[in-house]
Amino acid sequence: QVQLVESGGGLVQAGGSLRLSCAASGRTFSSYAMGWFRQAPGKEREFVAAISRTGRNTRYADSVKGRFAISRDNAKNTVYLQMNSLKPEDTAVYYCAADLRGGLVPAPNVYNYWGQGTQVTVSS
C-alpha cells in the first residue's frame, strides 16, 4: 500500500506560480510511476502530468505543456508539480496518484492509489 498526501495549494493571481508536493509513505515509492490529475466543479477528473519510476520520462497534457513541470525525489519519497503562468482555468482540486504499471497512461482508472487533493485557485 502507498499513502499519498498533497500540499502546496492555495490562492494565486493569474500569471503567478505555485509548487505542489506529494509525500508518499511506504518503502515501495520508487516502484510506481506518479501522476497529477485535477478536477474542477462539474468536470471530470483530468490528466495533468506523469513521471516514470526513475524520473527519466515525463508526459503532459497539452493544456499545461510549457507551463507546468513534474519532478520527483525518490530519496524523499516525494513528487512535485511546478506550475507557472497560471490561468483561471487551472483552478481545480489537484490530486497525486501512483501507478504500479508505470505506463504514463493519462487515464485516472489506471492509477492504483490517490491522495486527498489540494485546492488551487487562480484569480483573474
Side-chain angles (χ1 to χ4, degrees), residues 36 38 46-50 58-69 81 84-85 87 89-90 94 104 106:
W36 286 97
R38 65 188 183 186
E46 176 188 34
F47 172 76
V48 176
T58 59
R59 183 173 183 172
Y60 297 93
D62 288 342
S63 59
V64 306
K65 194 173 298 181
R67 299 189 298 121
F68 292 9
L81 184 68
N84 300 322
S85 301
K87 305 174 181 179
E89 51 262 45
D90 294 319
Y94 282 71
L104 304 186

Side-chain angles (χ1 to χ4, degrees), residues 54-123:
T54 63
R56 193 166 186 171
N57 301 108
T58 59
R59 183 173 183 172
Y60 297 93
D62 288 342
S63 59
V64 306
K65 194 173 298 181
R67 299 189 298 121
F68 292 9
I70 188 170
S71 61
R72 69 190 296 164
D73 186 342
N74 286 351
K76 296 182 178 180
N77 284 5
T78 303
V79 63
Y80 305 94
L81 184 68
Q82 178 67 47
M83 304 186 295
N84 300 322
S85 301
L86 283 162
K87 305 174 181 179
E89 51 262 45
D90 294 319
T91 295
V93 176
Y94 282 71
Y95 296 91
C96 178
D99 172 27
L100 183 59
R101 289 172 288 184
L104 304 186
V105 177
N109 60 5
V110 170
Y111 290 75
N112 304 100
Y113 303 101
W114 293 84
Q116 292 182 294
T118 186
Q119 177 71 47
V120 172
T121 303
V122 184
S123 62

